Amino acid sequence: MADFLVLSLKKYVEERFAGPLKSNERITLSLDDIRRMDRELSAKILEEPISFIPLVEDELNVKFSFVGSFGEYQHTPSTITSNFLGKMVKVEGIITSLSNIKPKLKKSVHEQHNAFYSKEYRDATTLTAFPLTNTVVPQTLQNEVLNFEYGFSTYIDTQAVTIQEMPENTKPGAMPRSMNVILYDDLTDSLKPGDRVVLAGIYKTYCYNNTNFPNYLPTALIVNHVENKNIKQIFEERFKKVTCERTNEYTTQLNENGNISNQMGDTNRHEQIPCSNFPDGESTVTSENVLEYVAPFIFISPQIKKAILLQMIGSENDVCRRSINLLLLGDPSTAKSQILRFVINTMNAISTSGKGSTGVGLTASIVSDKNERRLEAGAMVLADNSIICIDEFDKINYNDSVVLHEVMEQQSISINKAGIHVTLNARAAVLAAANPVYGNFVDDALEKQVKIPESLLSRFDLIFLVIDDGSFDSQIADQVLRNHSSSSDLQDDRVFDLRKFIFECKKYKPRMRKESAQFIIDYYVELRRTKTRFPATPRLLDSLIRLSNANARFRKSNTIDEVDVKEAINMVEHCYTIPKGSLFKRMKLDKHGTEMSVDVENSRNVVAGEASNATSLIKEIISGYREENPDSSFLSLNDVAARCELPLEEISRILTELDAEDIIMFKGETIIFLN
């Protein structure tokens, strides 16, 4: 049977590729084309690839890549099972880790007394129909070790990769599954962390040097074809798949009602109905009512909903970054986390928490594994060309938040550690939610209640204050009760319609008109001369351009008109302009003056006095404790917090300053006394 399959595949290759083939050339074969010519051959390629494909590759001195429809042999890392061991499969996922490229010995050449010997090596990860070999160095009959000739030996490049299930394919509450992947020869160095790929290859198992045999068998996918896919392509394929499913359900329902069988006559003609015709006729989402589909179960400002929608649509330009960053800063129980959850479910975004995230966890890290360093992607890299939702953004450690500066502005991550120098794409839009320092907003200056560095705040295009002042209690109550009476199927339909609307908007690439550009310039210059709630930096100019561009795509327009600029200005004014009678005023130095507002100067004097009093209080607590416990050499942070009413973050800040002045040693949550 194997000889027949070898002849069939060899015949197909010779007919498909006329003329001589280059040595070690990788040629792509379509399973769909093979299936039309020889259905049995295509089935054997998927079921028994190892029995004959390596023989044809050796005879023709080429390498095969297989593309096309894999049917039931197309899986994700979580759906593939032991039933597919030894079979040709296609796996879809996201690259999370990859190793360095290393040479693998394919054929060794040895010399002894002017006589040469050779030995081929075949391990469990080698695709071959021949028996596997051992790794013992050849010896003579007198047990003399042969001299290894490095220059005459044959090697092949190999690279180990880890592929993880995509966030959109992971079941709710489940851990994303991963699997090992091995790349050979010309396929090495074709991937990087964060790439969304579809890999075709043979799923194999190996058990060398495994003490857990037979309870545990390590497996790997030996790849022969790599296809890079961005999030837009994946969304388009999933959209078409769901659309076709809905079309089939629609035609089946009509067939059961007897409305379509009489007209068509033949049920096989149902396949001729275009999948795209059905949803186009049933779409109810327009630019006028689309905000009703954005987090419909949440009662919140329409400005915030519009900003969330523009972030999901994104901007399209080649000059500055395309992603729109948003920050929701507000009181607890104001649906900030629910908005993040809606974006995660709608756009398959990556979610993380500020308290549970580190700098390397957000960006990338170098991991040592068996005397080898591997590059592993963080959340920002995995969210490339998508959205990352960060809850409790204000809880991120300051040292960890510094790494976000490059990511949020340059849309890339530079790694220079352990001899590895690489730049990874992190073109992700950031949607963050944070709380004020005191938990709730109080009648105090805003700059005392927001402890996020201004260098980080300036990288957000829009910063919304969400305040729970009791103005909309009845509307919120009505919305909550309405949510409990609505159907989940209706919510799924709304999400599907919203995804389709966003996908259609992403097709447009609007260009800026001269009149619109001048309008943006005039407003920006005027805004810089006024007092704003948050610092109006030159980055705000790019924010106006991005918001105008996104609004033009929202209108499905090819040009950025004055109406788009006005909409962007309204959002910026909502976030930056200080309304009359506002309790939260944040002044800045006037551009044309040297004096600051009297209120601001007095406020800063009060803040400085309070800081000095808090430092003195902490010093008194430490001194009193040492007098009460002369034999003790340390004090815990919780003991200090129990003796005063200062916030824990404020106590940590003061102890850090005292540590810098060599008054104490502050490590973790322990205060060590110095003599």
Side-chain angles (χ1 to χ4, degrees), residues 69-87:
S69 175
F70 279 64
E72 61 178 344
Y73 294 89
Q74 182 167 350
H75 290 273
T76 65
S78 64
T79 59
I80 193 168
T81 62
S82 59
N83 296 329
F84 295 94
L85 286 172
K87 302 184 186 325

Side-chain angles (χ1 to χ4, degrees), residues 183-197:
L183 304 177
Y184 280 124
D185 206 11
D186 57 318
L187 296 180
T188 58
D189 204 25
S190 60
L191 302 174
K192 62 181 182 300
D195 285 347
R196 294 170 178 257
V197 296

Side-chain angles (χ1 to χ4, degrees), residues 620-632 635 639 643 673:
E620 292 177 1
I621 292 175
I622 296 175
S623 300
Y625 182 85
R626 297 192 65 177
E627 292 177 358
E628 296 174 1
N629 305 274
D631 297 332
S632 178
L635 174 64
D639 291 338
R643 294 168 178 255
F673 304 139

Side-chain angles (χ1 to χ4, degrees), residues 40 91 162 212 227 236 423 448 478 500 563 611 613 643:
E40 182 181 1
V91 178
T162 302
N212 296 325
E227 179 183 356
E236 181 178 5
T423 300
K448 295 174 58 178
D478 292 340
K500 181 190 174 187
V563 63
N613 294 336
R643 294 168 178 255

Side-chain angles (χ1 to χ4, degrees), residues 424-435:
L424 304 176
N425 290 327
R427 297 159 294 185
V430 178
L431 176 59
N435 295 324

